[in-house]
Amino acid sequence: FFANLSHEIKTPINIIYSCFQLLEISKSQGENALWKAYCKYDGTIKQNCFRLLRLVNNLVDITKIDSGFMNLNFGNYEIISLVEDITLSIIPYVEAKNINVLFDTYVEELIIKCDPESIERVILNLLSNSIKYTEHSGRIKVNINVSEKNVVLTFEDNGIGIPIDMKDKVFERFLRLDNSFKRLNEGSGIGLSIVKSMVEAHDGFIFVSSELERGSIFDIVLPNVLVDNMPMKIYEFDEANTELELSDIYN
């Protein structure tokens, strides 16, 4: 736990401190030099602050899950537009890799019982993984299928896939396909375990199918039910949450 945690905390702190040192050097060279340096490094500082905040949020969630105090705020929300808005918000993060993002469903509108904030985090976590492990000019597809009893959210990519001996372990904490400190993709290895807990808190379940070098498919199955005697609520999706949850992705 501490080996993983210390690395994940130290990396963004070191980056932020390095930027601060460069700003200090530029300050001694005058206001113009300082302004140019700030414009160069402000995005890096912000992104790594988000990385730290995201890590803290995940650790708080793990504590709540373990202690049984993860209380979700359920209501009746329109799930189709929620998933679509979140999916489309990742487009700026895939442009550098020229990844094609597709959203597809035959249902125009559907209101179900859910906690939109946790659904948002679940979706962004899965999309973040797809972006990290999908090569240039790849494809990410999100699909929604609805039956009388269930709503199935499918997240498919044609990325590197998951080794067969790892597929049953991907929802374990601190598990990563590449656990070395020289790995190409950042991440604490706790996101999918939180995803699984949040889905199960909706009385749903998640499962994965994958083939090495062919891609992965994550299916989330949620009950197609409503909260009794509660009107539909509106959830305003904030794209700043995408920036926070995808802070491990660098252009």
Side-chain angles (χ1 to χ4, degrees), residues 97 99 125-136 138-140 157-162 175-179 183-189 192 213-216 218 249:
K97 297 177 73 173
I99 296 174
N125 190 286
L126 293 176
L127 292 175
S128 175
N129 287 340
S130 290
I131 296 171
K132 290 176 185 177
Y133 298 111
T134 298
E135 302 294 340
H136 284 266
R139 183 195 72 250
I140 297 173
D157 64 62
N158 60 347
I160 64 174
I162 302 170
L175 181 84
R176 285 173 291 221
L177 297 183
D178 181 4
N179 262 320
R183 61 187 179 272
L184 295 177
N185 295 297
E186 294 295 339
S188 62
L192 284 178
E213 305 300 335
R214 297 291 296 273
S216 302
F218 284 83
I249 296 173

Side-chain angles (χ1 to χ4, degrees), residues 97-164:
K97 297 177 73 173
N98 195 32
I99 296 174
N100 189 25
V101 178
L102 303 172
F103 175 81
D104 187 32
T105 180
Y106 63 88
V107 180
E108 293 186 2
E109 182 179 285
L110 178 69
I111 301 170
I112 67 168
K113 170 188 174 182
C114 69
D115 170 44
E117 290 187 4
S118 60
I119 291 294
E120 177 184 295
R121 291 189 61 191
V122 164
I123 294 172
L124 287 174
N125 190 286
L126 293 176
L127 292 175
S128 175
N129 287 340
S130 290
I131 296 171
K132 290 176 185 177
Y133 298 111
T134 298
E135 302 294 340
H136 284 266
S137 301
R139 183 195 72 250
I140 297 173
K141 183 178 180 180
V142 178
N143 183 265
I144 303 178
N145 285 299
V146 178
S147 68
E148 183 178 347
K149 294 183 177 180
N150 296 311
V151 179
V152 181
L153 313 180
T154 301
F155 301 84
E156 179 181 357
D157 64 62
N158 60 347
I160 64 174
I162 302 170
I164 190 168

Side-chain angles (χ1 to χ4, degrees), residues 37-94:
Y38 171 77
C39 293
K40 184 176 182 179
Y41 300 116
D42 65 330
T44 302
I45 295 172
K46 179 181 179 182
Q47 183 169 21
N48 283 277
C49 286
F50 276 160
R51 286 180 63 189
L52 285 172
L53 178 58
R54 181 173 182 263
L55 179 59
V56 170
N57 288 342
N58 285 343
L59 292 174
V60 169
D61 284 336
I62 281 182
T63 303
K64 290 180 179 179
I65 291 167
D66 287 347
S67 60
F69 285 101
M70 189 180 70
N71 297 318
L72 304 186
N73 296 314
F74 289 106
N76 295 324
Y77 293 91
E78 206 285 292
I79 190 70
I80 306 298
S81 60
L82 175 62
V83 176
E84 182 178 15
D85 289 345
I86 297 170
T87 301
L88 296 181
S89 75
I90 72 166
I91 290 178
Y93 298 85
V94 302

